Amino acid sequence: RQPGGMTRTVVLRIPVGWSRTLDFSGNIYRGIVEVTIGGESRVVNTYSQDDIPVKVNLGRSKTFALILNQIRYLTVYAIILLTYGIASTQLVRVALHNPKRTQEWLKKNSGKLTYGTIAIISFCLMFHYAERFSFWIDELGQIAFTKGTLSAALSYSTHMSNCNPPLELLFHTIWYHIAPYGEQWLLLPSMLLSAAAIFLMGLICENLYGKYSGVFAAASTAFSTALWTNAAYEYRSYGFFVFFATLSFYCYIRRNKNPKRKRWSFLFSLALFCMTMTHYFGMVAMAIYFVSDIYLVVKKQLAWTSGSAY
């Protein structure tokens, strides 16, 4: 009962490597599959009553391709190592040249350094374990929205094919075309933004209740399963929304503490814009901020001109 125009052929781009396999989820609903690679074909029976996965070995890539791939990796690693070495050297030189000033800076920013360390550790763990999770149906649908052009992605949002504002979709459309192969790399923006939200959460609670509260909040956020599974490991808008929601809250606190500094009002407005252009819940959050500002204006704790942020 195959519909007209439908094909039974799927073409995959297999990454360069040594031990490459195609893994089929064998079960009672599977059947005969013909796999063709490099002009050679083989027939595989994926039927299984015990849901046993079936692996098809694809062999190694050509030697020239393997060499080029390793050169690419070595180049990237060399650039990262060189950048890290230069930055570390400069920091050590500054610290040795001005030890008193360095000590004062470390004491003043000890909280930020702690939150940053927690966020970096969490990000490294996120990235390490990301390859163990496969995309589910909604994320595969999101790939269909992001593999085209920017104008097509914008059209998907304006026509409600993708039921979210377009900011995240436009960013992921650009990222999809430049990211290395693999789901792990497609999730990189979500993981980075989730890690940044951890750092911001520490800053928020430090501003509200002190440094120790900031450390507790950053650590609690960093190892929250909800953050990992529902934001960092989602090729959708949730990692973006968590970051911009956290950023808007931090800017809101700093603006209220320093109402005469226009920088925080501008950053708050920018965070609101990005939050509302990422998810419709962002518009609900902005309405709550607006009502809160009306209360502060009535209590004469905030000037009415602060409404320009909206």
Side-chain angles (χ1 to χ4, degrees), residues 257-268:
K257 284 188 173 183
N258 305 276
K260 294 182 179 180
R261 298 191 66 176
K262 302 300 181 183
R263 180 182 68 174
W264 289 113
S265 182
F266 171 76
L267 290 175
F268 176 58

Side-chain angles (χ1 to χ4, degrees), residues 122-172:
S122 181
F123 168 75
C124 291
L125 292 173
M126 288 176 184
F127 189 78
H128 175 73
Y129 290 107
E131 61 184 4
R132 302 188 182 186
F133 296 86
S134 295
F135 286 170
W136 65 302
I137 296 175
D138 283 12
E139 291 175 293
L140 296 178
Q142 191 77 348
I143 288 177
F145 293 137
T146 59
K147 69 178 183 179
T149 62
L150 287 173
S151 59
L154 186 61
S155 177
Y156 290 137
S157 289
T158 54
H159 290 85
M160 292 298 289
S161 299
N162 175 65
C163 298
N164 276 319
L167 182 61
E168 169 269 333
L169 193 64
L170 292 175
F171 182 90
H172 267 151

Side-chain angles (χ1 to χ4, degrees), residues 91-108:
L91 288 174
V92 171
R93 288 180 60 184
V94 171
L96 293 176
H97 186 68
N98 298 300
K100 185 177 180 180
R101 185 178 178 183
T102 302
Q103 188 175 8
E104 292 175 352
W105 185 89
L106 290 174
K107 185 177 180 180
K108 181 180 179 181

Side-chain angles (χ1 to χ4, degrees), residues 20 23 31 35 37 48 64 70 102 119 121 135 156 177-178 219 232 239 250 252 268 270 280 282 293 295 304:
R20 302 178 300 170
D23 300 342
V35 179
I37 180 171
S48 172
F64 183 70
Q70 291 303 113
T102 302
I121 292 173
F135 286 170
Y156 290 137
H177 289 86
I178 62 176
Y250 176 64
Y252 184 73
F268 176 58
L270 181 62
Y280 289 113
D293 275 357
Y295 173 79
W304 66 269

Side-chain angles (χ1 to χ4, degrees), residues 79-97:
I79 292 173
I80 294 174
L81 184 61
L82 182 63
T83 304
Y84 177 77
I86 293 174
S88 300
T89 302
Q90 291 298 322
L91 288 174
V92 171
R93 288 180 60 184
V94 171
L96 293 176
H97 186 68

